[in-house]
Amino acid sequence: MLDLTKLARQMQGLSQHLTLEAAASRQRLELAQQHLKNAYECQQDLIDRQEKWRDRILFANATPIEPLETCIDIPVPPKIHTVIATDGSQIAPNHHEIAYCYLLNIGRVVLHYGQNRHPLLDSLPEVFYRPEDLYMSRQWGIRTEEWMSFRRTASETTVLAELACDAARTETPALAMVDGSLIYWFLEQLPMDARDRILPPILEAWQQMRDARIPLMGYLSASRSIETMNFLRLLACPHPVPDCKTYCPNQLEKVACKIFEQLRDTSVWSTRLKPGQRSTLWRSNSPILELYGDQTIYFCYVHVGTEIARIEVPVWVAENATMLDQALGLMLAQVQKGYGYPVAIAEAHNQAVVKGGDKARFFALLEQQMIKAGLKNVGTSYKEARKRGSIA
């Protein structure tokens, strides 16, 4: 139980810290705005320096594909269209439950607009109980719970591609959306063998959507990315060339170009964009994208009315101006219909989420099957049973 009386004593110090941080953030924002304006005049020179010294730069930074001052109104989408989304949830394995297994549940949503067709709102559950599913990841030092989330990401994308290919048969404008980034940062930490079980199915699903000409989009709400701010660090660098390995090898220290530290991309673009506009299109230079082949990731920021959202798309969407504009229009319509968040993604989450009652019914069903199979002494551990009730 949370002791609110003790907690209240700490609130004053927290509020004072937040006040000081807000003032410092305003100063960083003003400095970033000035550097952004200065970068308008030397954008190509900065890109050239970035490309020439990319192997010596030790911080993540993106490359602008359009002029930095770009602010483009997003066009109105066609009235007849389809929006597809998937999301996933899980029940993690627990040694204290009646059986050591886990469940993935992929929520599926297909919304048809202007077509007089019923939507698809359901989920696909799958139980994993075989030793190769439960213990395979341990050879790479990966916990089963982590491996489960990685497999869930691949399953979400595979199911999304299946839905998108079905929608493509109607030749109706469509958009496939996922919640979160298309840059799977977690892959950087995985051994090659483990990575090869996760990434190839994802890229194959993306290729299926590419062939079906259904644009794919990752929607990031409250993005914490600083890739575009880090591009401006090239302008703030006081050294003759941006050679971090020579001049600033320890990036954890306070280096000279870190004048926008802790300032997010969204903070700067919120001062540049009006509702319904997108920013410059950027190419991410994350090292993990070298494994993506010809499906590297581009992104932009969009003022959706309630916030500045980061929108990510594969290169084959970014380089097709008509497809990109239509996809952004459909995304913005989804946000408006969802009162600030894409309705298709929200519904996919609702379909996927495993609530407490669902979890209890899952284990009750499992218990019935185990008893039918002739197993005895089926039940939870004493620890788990005690945690579910209090006698104090």
Side-chain angles (χ1 to χ4, degrees):
M1 182 180 295
L2 185 62
D3 191 327
L4 296 179
T5 303
K6 296 176 182 177
L7 182 63
R9 299 170 188 167
Q10 304 178 39
M11 290 298 101
Q12 183 177 0
L14 175 60
S15 63
Q16 291 174 348
H17 168 76
L18 293 176
T19 300
L20 294 174
E21 180 56 31
S25 181
R26 285 194 295 270
Q27 293 179 349
R28 288 193 293 266
L29 179 58
E30 292 173 359
L31 191 59
Q33 289 173 324
Q34 186 57 52
H35 275 72
L36 180 61
K37 291 180 180 178
N38 294 340
Y40 292 167
E41 306 300 325
C42 57
Q43 177 175 337
Q44 189 55 51
D45 179 60
L46 292 176
I47 294 174
D48 293 341
R49 286 162 61 88
Q50 178 191 49
E51 180 62 27
K52 182 177 180 180
W53 296 93
R54 60 183 304 176
D55 294 334
R56 307 291 296 179
I57 298 174
L58 298 180
F59 52 87
N61 57 95
T63 302
I65 304 303
E66 300 170 315
L68 287 169
E69 58 267 35
T70 298
C71 294
I72 297 178
D73 292 328
I74 294 175
V76 177
K79 292 183 178 180
I80 299 176
H81 62 269
T82 298
V83 179
I84 308 146
T86 57
D87 198 6
S89 185
Q90 69 277 320
I91 296 178
N94 185 344
H95 284 291
H96 296 284
E97 281 292 355
I98 60 176
Y100 191 69
C101 62
Y102 66 88
L103 176 141
L104 296 183
N105 194 40
I106 307 301
R108 306 190 305 172
V109 169
V110 181
L111 303 178
H112 306 285
Y113 295 94
Q115 302 171 66
N116 195 27
R117 298 174 61 190
H118 292 293
L120 171 67
L121 299 164
D122 70 3
S123 64
L124 292 177
E126 185 175 4
V127 182
F128 297 85
Y129 54 87
R130 294 184 175 87
E132 57 267 30
D133 294 323
L134 296 171
Y135 305 112
M136 175 194 300
S137 63
R138 295 186 180 181
Q139 64 182 303
W140 304 305
I142 304 172
R143 294 185 299 111
T144 301
E145 293 80 358
E146 289 181 297
W147 186 247
M148 174 182 63
S149 68
F150 302 157
R151 293 193 62 168
R152 189 190 74 187
T153 298
S155 295
E156 290 171 1
T157 309
T158 301
V159 172
L160 185 71
E162 292 172 354
L163 296 174
C165 291
D166 287 340
R169 296 189 180 100
T170 66
E171 298 185 358
T172 301
L175 171 65
M177 302 186 73
V178 296
D179 178 23
S181 179
L182 300 179
I183 304 173
Y184 300 116
W185 310 96
F186 65 82
L187 293 171
E188 292 181 330
Q189 310 301 323
L190 298 185
M192 185 177 299
D193 289 346
R195 188 188 299 156
D196 287 344
R197 293 178 180 270
I198 301 298
L199 185 57
I202 292 175
L203 296 180
E204 174 59 29
W206 289 7
Q207 185 62 47
Q208 292 173 10
M209 286 184 272
R210 182 178 189 173
D211 294 340
R213 299 188 59 79
I214 301 295
L216 168 67
M217 176 182 292
Y219 186 96
L220 287 82
S221 177
S223 169
R224 302 177 63 86
S225 175
I226 56 173
E227 283 183 281
T228 66
M229 287 298 92
N230 280 349
F231 177 76
L232 297 182
R233 285 175 63 179
L234 297 172
L235 184 62
C237 177
H239 303 293
V241 293
D243 184 353
C244 301
K245 291 185 178 181
T246 298
Y247 298 110
C248 312
N250 188 354
Q251 287 291 304
L252 296 179
E253 295 179 350
K254 181 65 177 180
V255 298
C257 65
K258 273 190 177 181
I259 56 177
F260 318 120
E261 192 173 13
Q262 301 178 11
L263 186 66
R264 303 176 189 174
D265 294 347
T266 53
S267 298
V268 173
W269 295 112
S270 66
T271 66
R272 294 276 304 132
L273 300 172
K274 298 177 181 178
Q277 288 186 332
R278 74 163 176 88
S279 72
T280 309
L281 194 62
W282 299 75
R283 185 186 69 244
S284 178
N285 295 319
S286 171
I288 197 63
L289 294 179
E290 295 177 4
L291 301 176
Y292 281 42
D294 61 348
Q295 300 209 77
T296 192
I297 302 302
Y298 287 57
F299 66 91
C300 65
Y301 290 94
V302 176
H303 195 322
V304 298
T306 52
E307 66 168 335
I308 304 298
R310 174 172 163 133
I311 304 300
E312 296 182 355
V313 295
V315 59
W316 48 271
V317 177
E319 292 182 346
N320 187 326
T322 301
M323 180 181 286
L324 177 63
D325 286 346
Q326 183 171 279
L328 290 172
L330 295 179
M331 176 277 299
L332 197 56
Q334 280 291 293
V335 174
Q336 294 166 350
K337 290 180 174 69
Y339 300 101
Y341 189 76
V343 64
I345 296 178
E347 289 300 326
H349 169 77
N350 292 336
Q351 294 297 318
V353 68
V354 179
K355 300 178 181 178
D358 296 330
K359 183 177 180 179
R361 285 188 286 271
F362 165 69
F363 282 111
L365 181 61
L366 181 58
E367 183 177 13
Q368 292 174 9
Q369 294 300 316
M370 293 173 71
I371 293 173
K372 284 183 180 180
L375 297 176
K376 298 180 180 180
N377 300 321
V378 176
T380 60
S381 70
Y382 285 105
K383 176 181 178 179
E384 184 67 20
R386 282 297 299 116
K387 287 168 62 178
R388 295 180 183 179
S390 174
I391 60 174

